Amino acid sequence: WLTPKGSIRQCANHVWSLGGIGMDNRNDRRDRFEVYRDYVTHEDNLIKNRMTWLILVQSFFFTSFALAVVRLSDSDPIVAEKITVFLHTTAWLGIAVGLATCGAVLAALNSIDGLRSLWDILRTDNNAFTNDKTLPELTGGGKTFASIYGVLLPIVVPLIFAVTWGYLLVEL
């Protein structure tokens, strides 16, 4: 979606032509809105699923890590060395999963941003959408605060996990 505005406009026109939906009446415009909104909903669901898996996997990692730390204190040197390797591996996996999830969430947010750009072009270009105030924004209910701050959590949480694992790794 990081293309010149003309390319996005051409893509928007192409998307409409694929669906065979005209811009002649309000029902056609609503159908187009539903197509875009369904795609945004799909991307939102991907983000939700990725965050759910992140929290599940990180919970498993933290539990394993804590149990290994407890076992470390009363182990002989050979076992302690193996536990230390396990702790380092778990921490590196925690960092990798956090960063990978952040990248996957950013990909979904990028898709949503591209859809919002296409929708904004349709709403502002000289066409039947321009004066139709009954069609809402695709995300955030048209509120900038909701659109901006709604994306922070799925970006920040994976980074918090990655930083926490980095700290634990340094402290080992």
Side-chain angles (χ1 to χ4, degrees), residues 1-2 39-40 42-48 50-51 98-116 151 154-155 158:
W1 296 107
L2 302 175
Y39 199 131
V40 169
H42 167 74
E43 295 295 334
D44 279 340
N45 285 334
L46 287 176
I47 292 170
K48 179 186 74 168
R50 290 167 182 161
M51 293 302 295
L99 294 177
T101 301
C102 189
V105 166
L106 285 172
L109 291 172
N110 189 41
S111 292
I112 291 171
D113 187 51
L115 289 165
R116 191 177 353 192
V151 303
I155 295 172

Side-chain angles (χ1 to χ4, degrees), residues 3-164:
T3 59
K5 197 168 188 174
S7 298
I8 292 175
R9 182 173 286 111
Q10 291 169 354
C11 185
N13 293 333
H14 180 67
V15 167
W16 295 137
S17 67
L18 286 177
I21 303 171
M23 284 200 230
D24 301 336
N25 63 48
R26 178 183 272 190
N27 287 336
D28 291 340
R29 293 189 298 268
R30 289 205 177 279
D31 288 344
R32 289 185 186 176
F33 173 78
E34 289 301 320
V35 167
Y36 271 73
R37 188 63 197 141
D38 286 347
Y39 199 131
V40 169
T41 301
H42 167 74
E43 295 295 334
D44 279 340
N45 285 334
L46 287 176
I47 292 170
K48 179 186 74 168
N49 291 339
R50 290 167 182 161
M51 293 302 295
T52 300
W53 279 104
L54 170 75
I55 291 169
L56 178 71
V57 168
Q58 293 290 349
S59 298
F60 174 75
F61 286 162
F62 278 114
T63 302
S64 299
F65 191 88
L67 291 172
V69 167
V70 169
R71 178 81 169 112
L72 184 63
S73 62
D74 61 355
S75 297
D76 64 72
I78 295 172
V79 173
E81 183 180 334
K82 291 180 181 186
I83 291 174
T84 302
V85 169
F86 173 78
L87 292 173
H88 281 92
T89 303
T90 303
W92 281 111
L93 284 171
I95 291 170
V97 168
L99 294 177
T101 301
C102 189
V105 166
L106 285 172
L109 291 172
N110 189 41
S111 292
I112 291 171
D113 187 51
L115 289 165
R116 191 177 353 192
S117 295
L118 290 172
W119 185 249
D120 288 345
I121 288 170
L122 287 171
R123 287 177 49 98
T124 57
D125 270 359
N126 201 9
N127 60 45
F129 281 115
T130 304
N131 296 318
D132 191 348
K133 303 296 184 204
T134 64
L135 297 175
E137 297 293 326
L138 285 179
T139 61
K143 304 289 185 191
T144 304
F145 180 85
S147 291
I148 292 172
Y149 290 102
V151 303
L152 285 181
L153 184 69
I155 295 172
V156 171
V157 169
L159 293 176
I160 289 172
F161 278 124
V163 168
T164 301

